[in-house]
Amino acid sequence: MENGNGCCFSSVSSIATLSSVAVVVILILIRVLHVIYCSGRPLSKRASKPVSTLIILGSGGHTAEMLNLLAVLQKDRFNPRYYIAAATDNMSLQKAMMLENSLASESGIKVADTAQFMKIYRSREVGQSYITSVWTTLIATVHALWLMIKIRPEVILCNGPGTCIPLCVIAFIFKVLGIRWSSIFYVESIARVRRLSLSGLLLYKLWMADQLFVQWPQLQQQYPRATYVGRLM
Amino acid sequence: MGGEKTKRVIFVTVGTTCFDALVKAVDSETLQKELLAKGYTHLLIQMGRGSYLPTKSEGDCNLVVDYFTFSSSIADHIKSASLIISHAGSGSIFETLKLGKPLIVVVNEDLMDNHQSELGEKLANRKHLYCASPQTLHQTIVDMDLNALVPYSPGDATPVAKHINRFLGFPDD
């Protein structure tokens, strides 16, 4: 070539770099698609031991609905249980502690052996502008990463508050990277009759929830991959 | 015994939210006169994070009005009330319906994405409660017929639990 060996070498190395990047991106995409495919299917092995469970609590009605669900789950299967609530939510963890205390006194087990309670920085306060929410969501995500590295749950139960999004995104990334396989169960709130919440919509559109449950039939018609389970409350 | 009237309490609750428009609406003299005319004696307002303070009141000729911000459990207040007026939060709604009390749900139109009206309207369609806005609350009280309300049968979380168990490979009970 007229321009000499130097130019030839740099164009070859930039082609090589681009090709490597393209290969890595394609491999990641294939892995992500594979994770999404496997997530949608029931686990192939029969469960032989308890599964560590992360329970994400939200204010008011969210917590009431979640406690209602926990009441009918077999506690010896979903164990140990990690409860996370937003830092500014004072009542949810208290209610969860009351539930765990009454379970512990019934069965004679110490609460500390089966349940832990944690707070997380909130992605967005009710009424907060969406623009400032971007920054607070980033902080919440870093905190969520810290908590998820500690907990690495096998099962995640959530039902709507924005608190669950950073945690579920990180759980999904852990799945892709092979750090931990978490089955994510999202129960849309009974208050959502005609439209999914923002959290529900994100998890649905991004295929991040293993199972997304809705409590009113019109939602299942609109979102065919959701599962209608009737009213919980 | 004397001429003691039976105590009939209206309990107003905004849950963990700020809902000044509702507190203001029940703080109105005309609305309180209407409640008195319907045989209610006491008005108790749980005002949550709100900043508007209603006027307390005592005496035989008026509605006895009192308020507080939060309580760890409003179940006792609901149980001792004859009528509940609540914000449209699902926690308050279902706690009241489960206790079998008549309920007027008031939707907060200042909320950014007002999905709460969906639940209030759905349950009002099924005649389990009345649904109103702070502006239409007075008229709703005038027109209400609490005997026409249909009792709410509680839902069941066991279908979800079954799905989750099966998905994870646990045996059916």
Side-chain angles (χ1 to χ4, degrees), chain A residues 72 79 104 109 157 168-169 174-177 180 199 209-211 216:
Chain A
V72 298
N79 185 343
I109 306 175
L157 299 176
C168 289
V169 169
F174 280 9
K175 268 169 155 164
V176 169
L177 297 177
R180 167 69 90 198
S199 306
D210 293 46
Q211 293 274 282
W216 299 95

Side-chain angles (χ1 to χ4, degrees), chain B residues 98-165:
Chain B
K98 277 190 182 158
L99 291 170
K101 294 289 181 173
L103 173 59
I104 302 177
V105 160
V106 182
V107 175
N108 187 349
E109 291 158 333
D110 294 332
L111 290 180
M112 196 183 254
D113 149 41
N114 200 356
H115 70 273
Q116 286 187 336
S117 58
E118 288 177 29
L119 180 63
E121 283 164 20
K122 183 73 168 185
L123 294 173
N125 281 343
R126 295 190 176 188
K127 305 225 187 305
H128 297 303
L129 47 81
Y130 286 104
C131 190
S133 69
Q135 293 80 13
T136 60
L137 178 58
H138 189 156
Q139 195 57 47
T140 308
I141 290 174
V142 169
D143 296 335
M144 72 186 180
D145 174 15
L146 299 182
N147 295 320
L149 290 178
V150 173
Y152 178 78
S153 40
D156 184 11
T158 35
V160 191
K162 257 201 187 137
H163 266 105
I164 293 176
N165 275 295

Side-chain angles (χ1 to χ4, degrees), chain A residues 39-43 45-47 49-51 59-61 64-65 68-69 72-74 77-78 88 91 124 126-130 155 157 183 185 187 189-195 210-211 213 216 218 227 229 231-233, chain B residues 16-17 49 70-73 88-92 94-95 98 111-123 125-126 128 152-173:
Chain A
S39 296
R41 307 169 69 76
L43 298 185
K45 283 193 251 184
R46 309 201 99 224
K49 51 188 178 65
V51 286
S59 49
E65 290 187 53
N68 222 41
L69 170 57
V72 298
L73 284 178
Q74 302 82 339
R77 293 179 179 178
F78 297 89
T88 49
M91 307 201 52
R124 179 181 160 260
V126 174
Q128 182 182 347
S129 77
Y130 286 117
V155 168
L157 299 176
S183 301
F185 299 101
V187 185
S189 165
I190 193 169
R192 294 296 179 160
V193 180
R194 292 199 283 268
R195 294 171 296 154
D210 293 46
Q211 293 274 282
F213 300 109
W216 299 95
Q218 31 205 132
T227 307
V229 288
R231 288 175 286 116
L232 263 66
M233 300 291 280
Chain B
T16 53
T17 70
R49 296 188 200 197
F70 291 104
S71 116
S72 53
S73 162
S90 63
S92 301
F94 289 108
E95 203 171 349
K98 277 190 182 158
L111 290 180
M112 196 183 254
D113 149 41
N114 200 356
H115 70 273
Q116 286 187 336
S117 58
E118 288 177 29
L119 180 63
E121 283 164 20
K122 183 73 168 185
L123 294 173
N125 281 343
R126 295 190 176 188
H128 297 303
Y152 178 78
S153 40
D156 184 11
T158 35
V160 191
K162 257 201 187 137
H163 266 105
I164 293 176
N165 275 295
R166 284 206 185 136
F167 192 89
L168 294 171
F170 284 113
D172 281 339
D173 284 329

